[in-house]
Amino acid sequence: MAQVLEFKLPDLGEGLTEAEIVRWLVDVGDVVAVDQPVVEVETAKAMVEVPCPYGGVVTARFGEEGTELPVGAPLLTVAVGATSMPGAASAAGAAESVPASSNGSGAASGSGAAGASGPAAEGSGNVLVGYGTAAPAARRRRVRRDATGPAGPAGAPAPAPAPASASVTATATVTTGAAPAPVVPAPADGPVAVISPLVRKLAREKGLDLRRLRGSGPDGLILRADVERAVAAPATEEVPAPAPAGAVAAGAGERVPLRGVRGAVADKLARSRTEIPDATCWVDADATELMAARAAMNAAGGPKISLLALLARICVAALARHPELNSRVDMAAREIVRLPEVHLGFAAQTDRGLVVPVVRDAHRRTAESLTAEFTRLTEAGRAGTLTPADLTGGTFTLNNYGVFGVDGSTPIINHPEAAMLGVGRIVPKPWVHEGQLAVRQVVQLSLTFDHRVCDGGTAGGFLRYVADCVEQPAVLLRTL
């Protein structure tokens, strides 16, 4: 007999708490194989195809395209062992029982199905957080309800849980009726139905007690929209009569959700500004000799060397002399952690927004290898195929904002790194060269650093060495 298993949105790594459904790859009634991609989601870091660890027939999908789901929310249900869509009665029963609360009968039966023998024992080849690849999960014991609770005397059976549809209907009634918000009394103790830390943070900032909210998500899960409705409810009650049709309300304008890549960038930059006491120093440098050296390299044949690759080699050499800037701060232990490897991030502007791909082990790469890796990661960023591994783990960032036609900037450190080097455009300017006024190729370099890891002398020494290498590339020969 087919067993209906629920596949929940897995933890896609690096602390991601939610993802947006971009495109469903299967429909209800489709037969899927183990590890077959079933949905394409966009996280704060990348576009990811999510494989299903079960094989069978898709009986239900949760969420339309464009819907944002928290990690752990149901994605779909699969009838394992079935070869066609179950009957209407079976499908209805599965839709009501499987997405039930993780503390209720639905989760218990789902776990039992996962632990049963037969077709359900087929393992997944892909490792997803929360989904193994070998032996089936053990059957869970059902959580016993408190006999002294409001359900009645100890000998009386506990009432059956209300179906999910009733919860949704009740929520809709609260939000559309006279009541200002879906706020209901809640027990003083026990867990709160919240998964996303962003929802908790928003409620804390607004001074809202999450125990008084009834969630509109699956199994009463409290979503961000529930918090926003509860916060806006008092203001809704005090709104005066509608203004004339031609009038424009104060503060009216387009609202763009901060989610996906844009939301991740906003969170990370705000955290950097909040936690890191940064400082910036800058210097102008004559890049004429560096440009001539690059032209000579490319004229010699072989793969072309990019300017960014030469600047990366200079950064790696400078970090070897000043390792304080290749570090991060562990405030919990009150320690500065100096990192032995240089994983070099570089800022890249794409259609999806600003991303910072990471070149692994940049200190072991040649200029040719760096050029090839920069090209590969840039193309993947523009195509939206960067993986979370491509976007995490950086120890230092190189930001070439000169491609936007600007000379200088005070970059924000890419948390939790300790420094970022900014490079402006290279333009002809009057410059004193060998005692004579001449037109030279000049670039402005800026270094923003975490003042906790070093003082201005170290930062100034790093930037001065970078400028010396830009002006006289032969200086690099001492470290090769």
Side-chain angles (χ1 to χ4, degrees):
M1 179 179 178
Q3 297 169 344
V4 179
L5 301 182
E6 182 181 83
F7 176 41
K8 298 180 180 180
L9 178 65
D11 180 357
L12 299 172
E14 295 296 333
L16 299 174
T17 59
E18 53 199 2
E20 180 181 341
I21 297 175
V22 175
R23 180 167 59 99
W24 282 105
L25 305 179
V26 296
D27 292 317
V28 174
D30 287 355
V31 178
V32 296
V34 173
D35 293 340
Q36 176 181 334
V38 293
V39 64
E40 186 179 63
V41 301
E42 180 179 15
T43 70
K45 297 184 180 297
M47 300 272 283
V48 181
E49 286 187 351
V50 181
C52 180
Y54 311 127
V57 178
V58 178
T59 59
R61 300 188 319 192
F62 300 94
E64 300 296 328
E65 294 179 355
T67 303
E68 193 172 68
L69 296 178
V71 170
L75 266 181
L76 49 77
T77 55
V78 178
V80 177
T83 57
S84 60
M85 188 67 180
S90 300
E96 291 179 2
S97 63
V98 172
S101 171
S102 60
N103 290 334
S105 59
S109 60
S111 299
S117 60
E122 183 178 2
S124 167
N126 283 3
V127 176
L128 296 174
V129 178
Y131 295 89
T133 61
R139 182 186 297 272
R140 295 180 184 174
R141 292 189 303 171
R142 185 176 306 192
V143 177
R144 180 175 298 174
R145 298 183 181 274
D146 188 356
T148 61
S165 58
S167 173
V168 174
T169 305
T171 303
T173 305
V174 171
T175 55
T176 57
V183 179
V184 295
D189 54 0
V192 180
V194 178
I195 293 179
S196 172
L198 299 179
V199 175
R200 293 183 183 274
K201 180 181 178 183
L202 178 61
R204 185 167 59 251
E205 291 174 349
K206 301 299 183 181
L208 195 64
D209 185 2
L210 287 173
R211 297 182 182 278
R212 295 186 54 81
L213 287 187
R214 173 179 295 167
S216 59
D219 305 328
L221 184 69
I222 298 175
L223 307 178
R224 183 183 304 181
D226 300 324
V227 176
E228 292 173 346
R229 277 197 299 269
V231 171
T236 304
E237 295 176 352
E238 300 172 3
V239 172
V248 179
E254 181 183 5
R255 291 181 175 267
V256 180
L258 274 176
R259 62 187 185 187
V261 173
R262 186 72 260 165
V265 170
D267 292 340
K268 199 158 195 177
L269 296 183
R271 184 177 183 184
S272 177
R273 277 296 192 214
T274 301
E275 296 184 9
I276 299 178
D278 58 349
T280 302
C281 53
W282 56 89
V283 66
D284 289 341
D286 180 2
T288 306
E289 296 299 328
L290 180 66
M291 300 298 287
R294 175 174 175 256
M297 291 179 191
N298 291 336
K304 299 295 184 181
I305 304 299
S306 69
L307 180 61
L308 189 62
L310 295 180
L311 293 171
R313 287 290 300 129
I314 293 173
C315 278
V316 168
L319 288 173
R321 296 169 64 95
H322 302 279
E324 299 92 336
L325 295 171
N326 193 57
S327 63
R328 59 187 57 185
V329 177
D330 184 352
M331 287 304 297
R334 298 194 64 81
E335 294 176 342
I336 297 173
V337 183
R338 293 185 182 175
L339 305 170
E341 295 87 12
V342 178
H343 301 315
L344 189 66
F346 67 99
Q349 193 69 36
T350 70
D351 293 339
R352 298 176 61 238
L354 176 68
V355 294
V356 184
V358 177
V359 177
R360 304 285 171 183
D361 299 320
H363 57 297
R364 296 192 180 99
R365 294 179 179 268
T366 63
E368 287 186 0
S369 174
L370 287 168
T371 298
E373 188 67 359
F374 283 138
T375 301
R376 182 187 74 81
L377 291 171
T378 300
E379 291 176 352
R382 290 171 179 166
T385 57
L386 288 170
T387 66
D390 293 329
L391 295 165
T392 54
T395 64
F396 186 91
T397 296
L398 178 61
N399 187 357
N400 181 20
Y401 45 75
V403 297
F404 301 117
V406 297
D407 296 328
S409 174
T410 55
I412 299 176
I413 296 174
N414 187 22
H415 185 280
E417 298 170 12
M420 176 185 291
L421 179 69
V423 182
R425 61 176 180 165
I426 300 177
V427 292
K429 287 185 179 181
W431 190 267
V432 176
H433 176 65
E434 297 180 350
Q436 300 292 326
L437 186 64
V439 176
R440 306 286 287 181
Q441 301 292 321
V442 180
V443 62
Q444 185 180 98
L445 307 170
S446 60
L447 176 71
T448 297
F449 63 99
D450 186 340
H451 228 314
R452 296 173 298 179
V453 304
C454 69
D455 296 325
T458 300
F462 174 93
L463 189 59
R464 186 64 259 170
Y465 179 79
V466 171
D468 290 344
C469 291
V470 168
E471 294 183 339
Q472 300 178 10
V475 173
L476 278 175
L477 294 176
R478 293 178 60 91
T479 59
L480 296 180

